[in-house]
Amino acid sequence: SKCIEKSYQYVIYNIENGNIIYSSSGQAFLSRRVPCGSLFKLFTVIYLATERRDLFFNHKFKCSMHNHLPLPESCWDKKGHGEMIILSAIYNSCNVFFASLHDKINRDDFRRWFNDFTKINGISMRLPGIKSEEEWGALLAGLDFRTDISVKDLIKLSMIIHGSEKSG
């Protein structure tokens, strides 16, 4: 049991100002880069909320048991989530809803926004090259594990979402 307890790594920080209260593995942990995975959906949500409010408020998609390319064959919930809007898609972390935006979000516009957003907020990330609609949908859905982020930058992202005054 002690072995298991020591295998967890975590950081405790003040959501209001970003000050680190405790990091289980010190500074090295804060610098560690981890694959974004599903957390990348948060960038998609922020993009929609700031740049594409039409999609943020009006995009609906039915997450079903079977889908066709370029969408993932199924969501993480193999039965599907049913009719989704942004709030239910966020709540359910619905891969297919976010991937369904592949033909509604311009890649170049998103890349420009992402580069500006990360630079302004001091987040060190790069988008991978995208060669197909399938890869584009996978990125928007958080299924492209080529993107990574540091733990410190995850804290910055959480503060942006929380609406804190100071990030970093």
Side-chain angles (χ1 to χ4, degrees), residues 25-148:
S25 300
Q27 193 63 34
F29 179 62
L30 298 173
S31 300
R32 180 173 299 147
R33 298 195 69 81
V34 294
C36 274
S38 241
L39 291 174
F40 192 84
K41 291 175 186 146
L42 296 174
F43 289 102
T44 306
V45 170
I46 295 168
Y47 172 80
L48 293 175
T50 59
E51 304 295 314
R52 292 297 309 273
R53 295 176 67 81
D54 59 321
L55 293 173
F56 185 84
F57 289 109
N58 301 311
H59 182 66
K60 294 178 181 172
F61 186 81
K62 184 175 183 181
C63 175
S64 59
M65 198 177 314
H66 301 289
N67 300 289
H68 302 285
L69 290 177
L71 300 179
E73 184 178 334
S74 65
C75 198
W76 66 263
D77 181 343
K78 302 291 185 212
K79 298 174 295 193
H81 293 109
E83 191 72 29
M84 294 271 109
I85 59 172
I86 192 77
L87 290 175
S88 53
I90 294 167
Y91 175 79
N92 288 292
S93 192
C94 181
N95 298 337
V96 182
F97 176 90
F98 288 98
S100 76
L101 294 161
H102 73 93
D103 61 349
K104 293 163 185 55
I105 296 175
N106 179 281
R107 289 185 216 176
D108 293 332
D109 289 346
F110 184 88
R111 186 174 292 277
R112 264 190 298 281
W113 170 85
F114 183 86
N115 290 338
D116 289 346
F117 179 82
T118 54
K119 183 177 180 181
I120 288 166
N121 290 290
I123 295 172
S124 176
M125 288 180 69
R126 286 182 289 145
L127 293 178
I130 301 296
K131 298 177 183 154
S132 67
E133 287 300 304
E134 187 175 358
E135 286 184 1
W136 177 227
L139 178 69
L140 295 172
L143 298 172
D144 184 330
F145 292 93
R146 296 177 294 167
T147 51
D148 61 11

